[in-house]
Amino acid sequence: MNTTKALLSLMVLAFATQLASAQKGVNDLDPVTERKIDSIINLMTLKEKMGQMVQYNGSFDLTGAPSEIDGNTKLQKLRAGEVGSMLNVLTAAGTREAQENVMKYSRLKIPLIFGYDVIHGYKTMFPVPLGESASWDLEAIENGARIAAVETAASGVHWTFAPMVDVSRDARWGRIMEGGGEDPYLNSVIGVARIKGFQGTDLSDVFSIAACAKHFAGYGYGEGGRDYNTVNVGISELQNSILMPFKAAAEAGVATFMNSFNEIDGTPATASVYLQREVLKKDWDYKGFVVSDWGSIVEMINHGYAKDKMQAGELAVKGGSDMDMEGLVYEESLVPLVENGSIDEALLNDAVRRILRVKFNLGLFEDPYKYSDETREAQNVYTEAHLEASEDIARKSIVLLKNENNALPLKTSLKSIAVIGPLAADKDSPLGNWRAQAVPNSAVSVLEGIQNKLGAAVEINYAKGADLAIGERAFIQPLKLNQTDTTGFADAVAAAAKSEVVVMVLGEDAYQTGEARSYTDITLAGVQQELLDAVHAVNENIVLVLMNGRPLDLSKPNEQVPAILETWFLGSRAGNAIADVLFGDYNPSGKLPVSFPRNVGQEPLYYNRKNTGRPSSDLIFYSGYEDSSIEALFPFGFGLSYTSFEYSDISLGAETLNADGTLTASVSVTNTGDVAGKETVQLYIRDLFASKTRPIKELRDFKQIELEPGESKTVTFVITPKTLEFYSANNIWETEPGDFEVMIGTNSMDLKKAAFSYE
Ligand code: BGC
């Protein structure tokens, strides 16, 4: 058969049988699809194989260093079939145009896959991921990701570079905002909820998009909280903490992985045979593909790991990186590397197979333009229903950190209220960083939320007090903070002096968090603490509303104000959600997914630490600080409610768990306050001795319950051997016999305890 005939019959086969394949996850191989992939690979030239492994940036957003090659050269390469994917190409029309270049001109007509960073919404903005994680509401989180997928898919895009499941324990790191916080288990279940939301039950659904578990691996552990920095961890920590959420993502069938910029123990993750080939593709039997991070292949030259692009390409492909994101390494190196015998063509075949598999799963061979539909785009982006869903999860993400003498909720019968602070009327920062297609200044501000809530009878005295940032704020440039200008203080003080209560909205500018936004000072930035001091001097009745993407050092404000509400960056309808909580229309239920420190010197700070040989005590020669407690100011899992909950002791179903058995652990929780409320009941486990040292406690399950005043509910957890599993000294996941503690309670510090053993 000549090539043209082979191509034709292949295309007929592709069109006719695509509808028959009902794959659910990338790991469930469909024999028909695999045979189609075989035929395509058989037809491909070396250059065409290389092409599938190349991803170019389009023209919309720049999320890394500017491209070395111009648009026209890129276009020619698209037409020649030398590009398999593009990022940052958007809209139904824009993606159609790019796709046409491949479908009309290239020899094999293999559709492009379009990727984009849809991190917390496409145009309708949801809370930033760390904030949304504070809801601990997996259903709402999945729903948020689903809506983001609907808007993304309707805009022509097939693939999001999310969720980020990097466990991060360092408040200095700007990207802590982008994940599920410090706990491996919470990151796992939240990551899976997001993957389910993005991918739906079937990737070929026109509203499903491929997800991407990133950054594989260790990116959240950069030394000193400095972005892109060196990581040094051993296998036990790597497997048990960092990799746990990635393993869960692979098991959930996430379509793709992205590797990371950092090195671990001297090897850049991008070239890590251990991570990408041994753990991911062999131990976890993962069938999707790995995209590099932006330029992470070429950056191996800067790491001092590759001497030039040729060697970088060789190391990356051998290491298991299947696609080169805008690094321009694979396009120069892969063909010569195969031709000169440095790499086996089978490595390219494997990478191409994985990439084509995802394209087949998305249904792109059936219809390369199926996502590029202007009518669907007009109907499905930024709808009222989507905005309402974002407001719903925004409310659930708010964490009440302090509420002395029931300072909150505020009464709508107030005569006057001052609303003060650089973030009070800000309609932009609530949109957060990594905001995709959000319209700048489109969020409901806190001031607007309060105005919407209160009638004209209440006097609202607004004063900005000070600017947080100076000059232009943008994703692609450093932010300049206002460190000196206090000229607005006088207005703020006057507003506070004449008001019954003050709502102060302080925290971070959205562009203080996110990629490359590392800070060494995590107290209130700029002149905000001075502003708080000045206002406090005239009116102590202050409710501090915080907007931020990382844990802050709140030691000083915590001594000054009676009430603190952590609101993160809550998205499009932030102000309404915050006003609902301020005035008691929603009883706050969020719990911190990350520890808030007493001072930056405690970082990295995390509740699931090891005991050490000399656990912290008041005595000298124990592991602590002379000038600070080692405990958080607000611990992991912490969050108050307008009601109170009382926990009974734990009742265990048995004292021993057997290999094929289960063990129940129950508590009764009573609402002892005056209003209905939602509680997140948390279960922690401690393995008292093991072949590798284990943390003093680890979250292993949680349940949310709603209780009316006076009502009690029994919450029962089922513990199985799997609950106790860890990556042991045998280098496998297993449960070792021994003694355990089970702890249940309202946060990681306030827990009931019981003991059992596993035989
Ligand atoms: C980030 C990734 C992101 C990529 C593409 C990189 O700088 O680390 O998380 O997906 O850019 O925008």
Side-chain angles (χ1 to χ4, degrees), residues 492-742:
V493 168
K498 65 178 177 190
S499 305
E500 264 176 73
V501 58
V502 182
V503 171
M504 284 202 79
V505 193
L506 307 177
E508 297 185 293
D509 185 283
Y511 293 115
Q512 272 178 269
T513 71
E515 185 168 350
R517 265 72 182 186
S518 295
Y519 280 83
T520 58
D521 182 355
I522 53 169
T523 57
L524 291 171
V527 295
Q528 293 182 101
Q529 183 61 54
E530 290 95 309
L531 176 64
L532 178 56
D533 295 343
V535 168
H536 185 253
V538 298
N539 190 340
E540 295 188 0
N541 194 12
I542 298 173
V543 174
L544 176 57
V545 172
L546 291 166
M547 250 180 226
N548 46 289
R550 56 158 59 77
L552 296 176
D553 166 357
L554 300 173
S555 294
K556 176 110 197 270
N558 186 45
E559 283 167 13
Q560 294 173 301
V561 303
I564 307 178
L565 215 51
E566 174 54 67
T567 77
W568 320 101
F569 299 116
L570 287 178
S572 300
R573 293 266 168 98
N576 291 347
I578 294 167
D580 280 347
V581 170
L582 284 174
F583 292 94
D585 292 328
Y586 185 85
N587 184 358
S589 55
K591 302 274 190 177
L592 293 179
V594 67
S595 306
F596 274 47
R598 290 167 197 275
N599 53 64
V600 74
Q602 290 182 308
E603 297 291 332
L605 178 68
Y606 48 100
Y607 81 94
N608 45 352
R609 60 175 185 260
K610 301 287 183 70
N611 205 35
T612 79
R614 296 188 174 193
S616 170
S617 98
D618 291 339
L619 305 173
I620 195 81
F621 303 127
Y622 284 84
S623 176
Y625 299 110
E626 279 287 90
D627 62 347
S628 169
S629 154
I630 67 162
E631 300 296 351
L633 181 64
F634 299 111
F636 175 83
F638 177 80
L640 301 169
S641 161
Y642 292 153
T643 190
S644 46
F645 300 105
E646 212 174 272
Y647 280 67
S648 72
D649 286 336
I650 299 176
S651 122
L652 282 185
E655 279 171 12
T656 308
L657 171 67
N658 298 313
D660 49 2
T662 59
L663 177 74
T664 57
S666 309
V667 288
S668 167
V669 185
T670 306
N671 179 343
T672 50
D674 298 331
V675 289
K678 181 159 93 180
E679 170 69 332
T680 302
V681 182
Q682 303 161 33
L683 174 122
Y684 298 81
I685 294 283
R686 178 173 185 179
D687 189 343
L688 289 169
F689 51 90
S691 63
K692 286 281 177 184
T693 59
R694 307 295 304 129
I696 55 170
K697 56 189 97 165
E698 292 180 284
L699 182 74
R700 280 294 175 265
D701 205 350
F702 60 88
K703 288 188 200 294
Q704 298 196 309
I705 50 168
E706 312 236 4
L707 291 174
E708 293 298 320
E711 193 186 0
S712 298
K713 275 187 187 162
T714 300
V715 177
T716 300
F717 293 98
V718 179
I719 298 169
T720 69
K722 197 150 179 63
T723 321
L724 313 177
E725 213 181 62
F726 75 109
Y727 196 80
S728 74
N730 292 327
N731 288 335
I732 51 168
W733 286 84
E734 63 176 332
T735 310
E736 292 179 352
D739 295 336
F740 293 83
E741 256 170 24
V742 52

Side-chain angles (χ1 to χ4, degrees), residues 55 57 61-64 87-88 116-117 119 161-162 164 175 178 212 214-215 219 227-228 258-259 261 292-294 325 434 475 515:
Q55 183 184 58
N57 184 42
D61 293 0
L62 194 65
T63 43
L87 78 153
N88 299 332
Y116 189 45
D117 290 283
I119 306 301
F161 304 127
M164 185 185 100
R175 292 192 91 168
E178 220 180 306
C212 180
K214 73 186 188 185
H215 305 83
Y219 186 41
D227 212 346
Y228 320 116
M258 183 187 293
N259 61 32
F261 290 123
S292 79
D293 203 347
W294 182 294
M325 182 191 284
W434 277 125
F475 181 73
E515 185 168 350

Side-chain angles (χ1 to χ4, degrees), residues 11 78 80 177 334 348 431 481 487 528 539 542 570 595:
M11 282 162 67
L78 274 182
M177 170 281 284
L334 292 187
L348 269 60
L431 300 170
L481 293 169
T487 46
Q528 293 182 101
N539 190 340
I542 298 173
L570 287 178
S595 306

Side-chain angles (χ1 to χ4, degrees), residues 159-177:
W159 173 26
T160 175
F161 304 127
M164 185 185 100
V165 294
D166 295 314
V167 168
S168 29
R169 300 163 157 182
D170 201 320
R172 292 170 293 184
W173 191 49
R175 292 192 91 168
I176 198 168
M177 170 281 284

